[in-house]
Amino acid sequence: MDKLRITGGNRLQGEVTISGAKNAALPILCAGLLTADEVTLENVPALNDISTTLRLLGRLGVAATRGDDGRVSLRADKVDNLEAPYDLVKTMRASILVLGPLLARFGEARVSLPGGCAIGQRPVDQHIKGLAALGAEIHIEHGFVVARAKRLKGATVRTDMITVTGTENLLMAAVLAEGRTVLENAAREPEVVDLAELLIKMGARIEGHGTDRIVIEGVERLHGASHSVTPDRIEAGSFLCAVGAAGGDILLRGVAPQAMGATLDKLRATGITLECGTDTIRASMDRRPSPVDVRTLEYPGFATDMQAQIMALNTLADGTAMIVETIFENRFMHVQELCRLGADIDIDGHTAVVRGVPRLSGARVMATDLRASASLVIAGLAAEGETIIDRIYHLDRGYERMEVKLGALGARIERLSGKDAA
């Protein structure tokens, strides 16, 4: 099992190009099921979750080609299997996103329930409720969501909570439904907007994406299209936290600063100097961070996916910060590992009290989930001595060659494989 070895203390200098957003690419890949024509995507990141999604689509009968340049071509003209099996769904909860497209285009879908999640409950009941409102007959059978509908019919759907994947699944289902669908309490994330933009290129009629009320006029069929995946705002924010912790001066290219408002506001409050262009962010840091309080919220609030990274930055702050996690009930698993590096953090329910320390010290730690692994990398870059991070397969789910990119900025970081990782 691969590990990362980091020798902290180096300031970060140079340029790095941010990859396409994982959380946008996954539903966009599933949208390829909605047409028999070719869908061509660019800026698709090379991540384990992308590979899992392509395997799942291949199992359904989708022909996919993937280049080394971030280009993926999909053709779903010979789909011959409408079942998403547990062995693939269990490794990635986003696999539930094939449910809406399969049901809308083929009138039937059989998708395994995702199972447990380390950071908290992510029930799919809102997906089921919404599809039932569109006329689907749905029941749970032997661990599968089994859905059937001759043709979905437009309806007004208001989810009980804001759900990103729920909004995406219902959006993809509604584009081929008969009549008008209104999604109330819809997620506003940039990744939802990116999916809608692709669907519009494919011939869908959608208005209101980016607000909490999306209106879809169903069409008979969709056609092929080309689309470039939006930049990963979470990867960009993670690199900004890294320079905030380690110090230095870096330039991020291929970013979308306009989608990062809450993150950039909080990072400026820590003392990081930020200069934003159309698709660039220059960040410099030459002092100890100031503490910054954070409360995670749905977009446009501060993203839960950035909570662990800004906590790592706060561990070095000159003062005390309060971090409140409102989205997932078990997303403080990185706290224990940060404390192994010398952090001073107490947890009280959904609140973490982070008392900044002058320095961290390297140690052996374990990644428990995707964003937790990024927080340990950030802390390791600033820590004195050597940090070994186990279970970095979590990191590979959402960060493309992170150690290579950080190495190009001057970080002393390397991947240990085989005998070196023993």
Side-chain angles (χ1 to χ4, degrees), residues 234-303:
I234 306 302
E235 183 191 20
S238 300
F239 275 88
L240 296 177
C241 285
V243 76
D249 189 332
I250 65 172
L251 179 68
L252 305 186
R253 295 192 179 277
V255 294
Q258 67 276 9
M260 297 177 61
T263 295
L264 298 181
D265 287 348
K266 291 298 183 181
L267 291 177
R268 284 193 179 97
T270 70
I272 301 174
T273 299
L274 299 175
E275 299 174 10
C276 298
T278 303
D279 60 357
T280 61
I281 300 176
R282 182 175 179 180
S284 59
M285 186 66 157
D286 59 4
R287 65 178 180 84
R288 189 175 173 188
S290 298
V292 60
D293 294 339
V294 167
R295 183 181 184 88
T296 63
L297 292 168
E298 295 87 356
Y299 191 85
F302 190 88

Side-chain angles (χ1 to χ4, degrees), residues 232 353 394:
D232 196 322
V353 179
H394 290 294

Side-chain angles (χ1 to χ4, degrees), residues 320-360:
T320 299
M322 305 275 286
I323 296 180
V324 182
E325 174 58 56
T326 72
I327 307 298
F328 292 115
E329 68 275 12
N330 195 27
R331 205 162 200 178
F332 282 150
M333 291 187 294
H334 47 278
V335 168
Q336 181 177 352
E337 301 303 305
L338 288 172
C339 288
R340 286 181 53 79
L341 297 171
D344 183 356
I345 308 171
D346 289 324
I347 300 175
D348 182 8
H350 296 291
T351 301
V353 179
V354 187
R355 301 174 190 86
V357 297
R359 63 188 61 83
L360 299 173

